[in-house]
Amino acid sequence: MVDIVFVDHDGSEHKVEARSGSTVMLAAVTNGVPGIDADCGGSCSCATCHVFVHEDWIEKVGKRNPTEEAMLSLNPDRKTNSRLSCQIPVSEELNGLIVTTPEFQF
Ligand code: FES
Protein backbone atom coordinates (compact mmCIF):
# COMPACT_ATOMS: atom_id res chain seq x y z
CA MET A 1 0.00 0.00 0.00
CA VAL A 2 1.06 3.58 -0.65
CA ASP A 3 0.60 6.36 1.91
CA ILE A 4 -0.78 9.65 0.63
CA VAL A 5 -1.36 12.76 2.74
CA PHE A 6 -4.08 15.21 1.72
CA VAL A 7 -3.78 18.60 3.39
CA ASP A 8 -6.83 20.87 3.59
CA HIS A 9 -6.47 24.58 2.90
CA ASP A 10 -6.63 25.11 6.70
CA GLY A 11 -3.76 22.70 7.33
CA SER A 12 -5.79 19.68 8.46
CA GLU A 13 -4.21 16.43 7.29
CA HIS A 14 -5.88 13.24 6.04
CA LYS A 15 -3.49 10.31 5.68
CA VAL A 16 -4.84 7.49 3.53
CA GLU A 17 -3.57 4.24 2.04
CA ALA A 18 -3.89 3.65 -1.68
CA ARG A 19 -3.29 0.66 -3.90
CA SER A 20 -0.69 0.74 -6.64
CA GLY A 21 -2.48 1.02 -9.97
CA SER A 22 -5.25 3.16 -8.50
CA THR A 23 -5.28 6.96 -8.74
CA VAL A 24 -4.78 9.71 -6.18
CA MET A 25 -8.40 10.78 -6.78
CA LEU A 26 -9.74 7.29 -6.01
CA ALA A 27 -7.66 7.19 -2.84
CA ALA A 28 -9.33 10.42 -1.72
CA VAL A 29 -12.89 9.46 -2.64
CA THR A 30 -12.61 5.96 -1.18
CA ASN A 31 -11.43 7.40 2.11
CA GLY A 32 -13.85 10.33 2.28
CA VAL A 33 -11.22 13.05 1.98
CA PRO A 34 -13.02 16.42 1.85
CA GLY A 35 -12.52 18.74 -1.12
CA ILE A 36 -12.28 16.04 -3.79
CA ASP A 37 -15.70 15.65 -5.43
CA ALA A 38 -14.54 13.94 -8.64
CA ASP A 39 -17.87 14.59 -10.35
CA CYS A 40 -16.86 12.99 -13.65
CA GLY A 41 -15.59 9.82 -12.03
CA GLY A 42 -12.07 10.22 -13.28
CA SER A 43 -12.57 10.91 -16.98
CA CYS A 44 -10.66 14.22 -16.81
CA SER A 45 -13.69 16.37 -17.64
CA CYS A 46 -14.73 18.14 -14.42
CA ALA A 47 -11.61 19.40 -12.59
CA THR A 48 -13.25 18.86 -9.19
CA CYS A 49 -10.33 16.66 -8.22
CA HIS A 50 -7.81 19.50 -8.44
CA VAL A 51 -4.87 19.33 -6.04
CA PHE A 52 -1.62 21.18 -5.48
CA VAL A 53 1.37 18.83 -5.36
CA HIS A 54 3.93 19.47 -2.62
CA GLU A 55 7.16 20.79 -4.13
CA ASP A 56 9.13 17.74 -2.99
CA TRP A 57 6.92 15.49 -5.13
CA ILE A 58 6.45 17.41 -8.36
CA GLU A 59 9.08 15.49 -10.34
CA LYS A 60 8.01 12.07 -9.09
CA VAL A 61 4.36 12.76 -9.90
CA GLY A 62 5.24 13.66 -13.48
CA LYS A 63 3.78 16.08 -16.00
CA ARG A 64 0.20 16.89 -16.89
CA ASN A 65 -1.25 15.17 -19.95
CA PRO A 66 -2.76 17.37 -22.72
CA THR A 67 -6.38 16.83 -21.68
CA GLU A 68 -5.55 17.62 -18.08
CA GLU A 69 -3.65 20.70 -19.20
CA ALA A 70 -6.71 21.90 -21.13
CA MET A 71 -9.01 21.36 -18.16
CA LEU A 72 -6.70 23.18 -15.78
CA SER A 73 -6.28 26.09 -18.20
CA LEU A 74 -9.93 26.95 -17.47
CA ASN A 75 -9.31 27.07 -13.73
CA PRO A 76 -8.53 30.52 -12.27
CA ASP A 77 -6.92 28.94 -9.20
CA ARG A 78 -4.41 26.95 -11.20
CA LYS A 79 -0.81 27.09 -10.00
CA THR A 80 2.41 25.67 -11.39
CA ASN A 81 1.99 22.62 -9.12
CA SER A 82 -1.67 22.04 -10.02
CA ARG A 83 -2.71 18.53 -11.05
CA LEU A 84 -5.97 16.70 -11.52
CA SER A 85 -5.69 13.88 -9.02
CA CYS A 86 -7.58 11.45 -11.27
CA GLN A 87 -4.67 11.71 -13.69
CA ILE A 88 -2.01 10.73 -11.13
CA PRO A 89 -1.51 6.97 -11.03
CA VAL A 90 -0.55 5.56 -7.65
CA SER A 91 2.74 3.68 -7.58
CA GLU A 92 5.18 2.63 -4.88
CA GLU A 93 7.39 5.56 -5.89
CA LEU A 94 4.71 7.91 -4.57
CA ASN A 95 4.72 6.49 -1.04
CA GLY A 96 4.50 9.53 1.25
CA LEU A 97 3.05 11.85 -1.42
CA ILE A 98 1.67 15.14 -0.06
CA VAL A 99 -0.99 17.14 -1.90
CA THR A 100 -3.12 20.10 -0.82
CA THR A 101 -6.78 20.52 -1.72
CA PRO A 102 -7.83 23.99 -2.93
CA GLU A 103 -10.06 26.08 -0.67
CA PHE A 104 -12.68 26.67 -3.38
CA GLN A 105 -13.42 22.95 -3.58
CA PHE A 106 -14.81 22.91 -0.02
FE1 FES B 1 -13.17 14.76 -12.98
FE2 FES B 1 -10.66 14.31 -12.22
S1 FES B 1 -12.46 13.42 -11.47
S2 FES B 1 -11.37 15.65 -13.77
Side-chain angles (χ1 to χ4, degrees):
M1 296 296 272
V2 177
D3 290 335
I4 301 175
V5 178
F6 293 86
V7 184
D8 294 349
H9 61 91
D10 66 0
S12 305
E13 293 188 359
H14 309 272
K15 185 175 178 181
V16 306
E17 289 188 333
R19 291 185 187 282
S20 259
S22 179
T23 66
V24 172
M25 176 278 278
L26 283 173
V29 171
T30 303
N31 290 283
V33 173
I36 304 288
D37 289 341
D39 292 336
C40 76
S43 61
C44 201
S45 59
C46 73
T48 61
C49 66
H50 182 192
V51 295
F52 303 118
V53 177
H54 188 283
E55 61 183 14
D56 292 347
W57 290 93
I58 290 174
E59 285 198 22
K60 283 188 179 169
V61 162
K63 297 182 188 291
R64 303 175 192 126
N65 63 56
T67 307
E68 180 184 4
E69 183 71 40
M71 286 302 298
L72 281 169
S73 71
L74 304 172
N75 191 323
D77 293 311
R78 169 191 166 137
K79 298 180 185 175
T80 54
N81 61 341
S82 288
R83 290 295 309 267
L84 295 180
S85 57
C86 68
Q87 302 301 302
I88 305 175
V90 173
S91 65
E92 295 295 330
E93 291 74 39
L94 295 187
N95 190 33
L97 173 66
I98 303 169
V99 298
T100 300
T101 44
E103 183 172 8
F104 68 86
Q105 283 175 192
F106 282 79

